[in-house]
Amino acid sequence: MLKGKTALVTGSTSGIGLGIATSLAAQGANIVLNGFGDVESPKAAIAAMGVKVAYHGADMSKPAEIEDMMKFAAAQFGQVDILVNNAGIQHVAKIENFPVERWDAVIAINLSSAFHATRLALPAMQAANGGKGWGRIINVASVHGLVGSAEKSAYVAAKHGIVGLTKVTALENATTGVTCNAICPGWVLTPLVQKQVDAKAAAGGISNEQATQLLLGEKEPSMQFTTPEELGALAVFFCSSAGNNVRGVAWNMDGGWAAQ
Ligand code: NAD
């Protein structure tokens, strides 16, 4: 379905980003990976699916590096047809104790990076398809783009912000073939959430299993994690022709979290 298209997924060396990149590659899209840590195994796994894969290590808190990554992607594959703004970090503390440097980092990586990648990707998307435009921008927000939780001020502010950015991007391109939508997961068991399970286990002197049940029980009525594969399937839907007129939605996949 996506053969010949190029998808750039930020923060795709692990977790949700890697899940979405894998789902898009399964549909034939060439992939530009980004993120820190082990790069070679995700790169090899995607290449084994028979698509082209490249990697750029831009630090998404740095606009100049984002610009370099977008130029690199265009030079490698012609242009970016699908942009998935996924890179994100978390920091948990009460507002009065929240380190200013952590606030700035969360806003830069979880929100401003999406603005920069979007503004740089849009011109080529708008010019595609003989000037009628074709493009898909998918912002990985969170259920925290829809509701709040204590001790997550920067994260909740950034995620509400990216839901707003999604709506404006969708509206400004509403008469073109460029769509923009957000995905709002509840708990997904990735390194980002494992850290929160570990902190709960340590704080309560309880097992990892008990901490996991506690974490899910506080927020997620289904008592189950959403998987990167399920989120990847939603991203594929947004990229399909059935998604042509889905514009500016914030679609939660959260086990009922936001329904409460
Ligand atoms: P993760 O820690 O597994 O992956 C984060 C990715 O972002 C990694 O590839 C990491 O290298 C990359 N990254 C971090 N800082 C970066 C930077 N400065 N520049 C470039 N890359 C950077 O986390 P995840 O859970 O897969 O999170 C992915 C996205 O999904 C985030 O935006 C997160 O807020 C969102 N999300 C996660 C959950 C969850 O429960 N895990 C729920 C809702 C939303």
Side-chain angles (χ1 to χ4, degrees):
M1 188 177 87
L2 299 174
K3 206 166 168 48
K5 304 273 192 228
T6 295
L8 186 158
V9 186
T10 70
S12 47
T13 47
S14 81
I16 294 170
L18 181 55
I20 292 178
T22 305
S23 298
L24 296 175
Q27 297 297 324
N30 297 322
I31 303 292
V32 182
L33 294 171
N34 157 261
F36 302 146
D38 174 21
V39 173
E40 288 317 312
S41 12
K43 222 175 145 186
I46 300 241
M49 299 173 79
V51 299
K52 291 187 205 146
V53 59
Y55 166 80
H56 192 285
D59 178 339
M60 296 304 290
S61 69
K62 304 211 162 85
E65 293 189 22
I66 298 173
E67 200 157 340
D68 194 57
M69 177 182 72
M70 299 306 291
K71 282 190 191 140
F72 166 84
Q76 288 283 312
F77 297 129
Q79 74 170 75
V80 173
D81 305 289
I82 299 162
L83 169 66
V84 183
N85 290 309
N86 166 79
I89 58 169
Q90 176 62 284
H91 188 83
V92 181
K94 287 195 168 171
I95 293 174
E96 60 273 28
N97 301 326
F98 213 94
V100 171
E101 165 276 321
R102 286 288 85 199
W103 169 277
D104 289 342
V106 172
I107 298 297
I109 296 165
N110 296 20
L111 176 58
S112 301
S113 73
F115 160 70
H116 292 297
T118 298
R119 72 181 171 80
L120 295 164
L122 274 173
M125 289 182 178
Q126 289 161 344
N129 195 20
K132 286 190 250 163
W134 196 94
R136 295 289 188 262
I137 299 175
I138 300 171
N139 292 326
V140 179
S142 165
V143 67
H144 283 119
L146 307 170
V147 299
S149 285
E151 302 193 10
K152 294 187 175 172
S153 54
Y155 189 86
V156 170
K159 295 301 185 180
H160 275 67
I162 204 170
V163 168
L165 177 66
T166 301
K167 292 175 184 172
V168 175
T169 308
L171 289 175
E172 288 183 5
N173 293 281
T175 58
T176 77
V178 181
T179 73
C180 179
N181 294 290
I183 295 179
C184 298
W187 293 125
V188 186
L189 193 56
T190 64
L192 182 139
V193 162
Q194 189 59 53
K195 277 188 212 150
Q196 295 175 60
V197 173
D198 295 344
K200 229 177 226 321
I206 52 176
S207 70
N208 202 282
E209 177 55 29
Q210 286 168 316
T212 301
Q213 291 306 307
L214 207 60
L215 183 101
L216 286 169
E218 279 168 4
K219 302 282 187 183
E220 194 140 336
S222 66
M223 291 300 285
Q224 71 188 46
F225 291 106
T226 300
T227 65
E229 292 73 24
E230 288 163 349
L231 297 165
L234 181 53
V236 167
F237 167 72
F238 285 144
C239 293
S240 72
S241 54
N244 278 347
N245 208 25
V246 180
R247 296 175 188 269
V249 306
W251 189 319
N252 38 322
M253 223 187 222
D254 64 356
W257 183 327
Q260 297 168 101

